[in-house]
Amino acid sequence: MTIKAYWRLDPTAEPGRAEPSAWAETLARNVRPISINRFDHYAQIARAAALTGFDGLFIQHRSDGDDSQIIAAAVARSAPKLGLVPEFPASVGSAVYAAKQAVTFQRAVHDRLGWAIAPDGDADARAAIADPVLEADLRARTEEFLHVARGVHGSQPFDFQGRFFEVKGGGFEQPLAGAAFPRVFLRGEQEDSLALSARHADVHLFALQPVEALRAKIEDLDRLALAAGRNVEFGISATLAARETAEDLQHTPAADIAGTYDLVAAQLAELAAAGIGHFVLSASPSLEETYRVGQFVLPRLRAHQPTLRAAA
């Protein structure tokens, strides 16, 4: 099994870092305009992920942060081989327009785009973004969103009438036709989440949990995907605290997986042996930890791949 590793960028992490306002007092006597901003920081993280061997950058959706898709577009040329996976909810609007944006993005970055569909927010959060869909209908809306987006991407004319979307004669002509559809990442632990992924996900992301529980959920989703005539790959999302020695860990933030470089890599390899092929990893501070995890954990994890291949 080939392991794919993604660094998770949180647009709201480390507020003030690389923001002009944070530099204002120290540069009060400098009459030149301040040119560095938050997007330079995002680009630094993207370059660090690319330089240290990550396969992609997973850009977290935050209602109070910069838009994930715009971040992805902004950093795309900073790391020309890095996969880019912005996360966003199905409440972003028209599935047809989302598909057109994806096609344009793919043409610009040579098919490096993925989509991570975020869970919808609570009632107050949805009201704040003018989303009137009821709680009971959110999953159905997500399913229609993905069905319509794939439909207009893959055929022309595409017609559909559902509860949330209606399309007549949709689809793309050249030069927009032909770009790859983004790899779709979904997540969730409940049965209805697994069922949705069986029908629509390319990768399902689980929360970190004991290996035996993870194996059981992988088997359940495998069964559902097989019944739907599809193949779904599996991933986990986890925060890390990795250091050279146990003593160095004493002042690190709490994390899902903590230990020496060897220990963290071994725990990730155990998850890979259980069927996990996609790792969405993060640590704080993000830029420095991108280098640390990429230089010291990823090589150790990938050293396990021949063993994992033999076990598969």
Side-chain angles (χ1 to χ4, degrees):
M1 174 174 54
T2 301
I3 291 170
K4 296 287 187 182
Y6 310 81
W7 189 252
R8 185 173 65 201
L9 187 159
D10 180 351
T12 63
E14 304 164 76
R17 188 165 187 177
E19 291 285 7
S21 59
W23 296 70
E25 291 187 12
T26 59
L27 299 180
R29 296 183 180 180
N30 191 341
V31 297
R32 294 172 298 176
I34 300 169
S35 59
I36 189 171
N37 68 15
R38 183 71 170 176
F39 281 80
D40 296 296
H41 182 54
Y42 300 149
Q44 285 180 312
I45 294 172
R47 285 193 292 269
L51 285 169
T52 57
F54 282 91
D55 299 287
L57 189 69
F58 188 100
I59 305 161
Q60 198 164 354
H61 167 72
R62 295 291 196 187
S63 59
D64 56 345
D66 289 313
D67 182 80
S68 60
Q69 297 185 83
I70 292 177
I71 294 173
V75 305
R77 293 188 182 274
S78 299
K81 294 184 179 180
L82 198 68
L84 298 161
V85 188
E87 181 185 45
F88 57 89
S91 59
V92 292
S94 165
V96 175
Y97 191 66
K100 181 177 180 179
Q101 286 179 311
V103 166
T104 301
F105 200 116
Q106 295 288 50
R107 281 163 43 77
V109 303
H110 306 291
D111 295 340
R112 290 188 282 136
L113 177 67
W115 274 1
I117 306 301
D120 292 279
D122 61 21
D124 290 341
R126 297 198 307 277
I129 59 171
D131 181 8
V133 176
L134 299 175
E135 182 84 26
D137 296 329
L138 293 175
R139 200 170 304 281
R141 193 259 302 275
T142 297
E143 181 144 25
E144 277 195 20
F145 180 93
L146 289 169
H147 177 77
V148 170
R150 285 191 189 275
V152 296
H153 175 273
S155 61
Q156 188 197 37
F158 175 77
D159 299 313
F160 177 80
Q161 173 138 18
R163 294 169 58 197
F164 308 99
F165 300 97
E166 181 177 346
V167 184
K168 293 183 179 178
F172 303 126
E173 298 180 354
Q174 294 295 344
L176 299 183
F181 193 77
R183 173 172 277 193
V184 174
F185 292 69
L186 297 178
R187 57 186 167 109
E189 309 296 317
Q190 304 304 317
E191 289 184 11
D192 52 357
S193 297
L194 300 183
L196 180 66
S197 281
R199 295 189 294 271
H200 293 283
D202 298 300
V203 180
H204 183 91
L205 295 177
F206 291 102
L208 188 64
Q209 55 201 281
V211 170
E212 289 309 313
L214 195 57
R215 280 199 181 99
K217 289 182 179 177
I218 287 173
E219 289 174 3
D220 288 343
L221 183 45
D222 246 345
R223 240 184 342 262
L224 292 169
L226 182 63
R230 302 185 69 251
N231 178 58
V232 178
E233 297 176 11
F234 311 107
I236 61 107
S237 181
T239 56
L240 304 183
R243 294 293 186 271
E244 185 173 0
T245 68
E247 290 76 17
D248 295 335
L249 286 165
Q250 293 177 2
H251 303 292
T252 58
D256 297 323
I257 300 175
T260 63
Y261 300 140
D262 287 330
L263 181 59
V264 169
Q267 290 186 55
L268 295 175
E270 184 181 14
L271 294 168
I276 297 298
H278 298 261
F279 293 86
V280 180
L281 306 173
S282 61
S284 182
S286 188
L287 177 59
E288 293 82 352
E289 292 299 316
T290 308
Y291 282 110
R292 184 189 303 276
V293 174
Q295 288 178 312
F296 299 113
V297 176
L298 285 191
R300 288 168 164 85
L301 171 59
R302 291 195 165 116
H304 289 274
Q305 283 193 217
T307 306
L308 297 173
R309 234 179 263 123

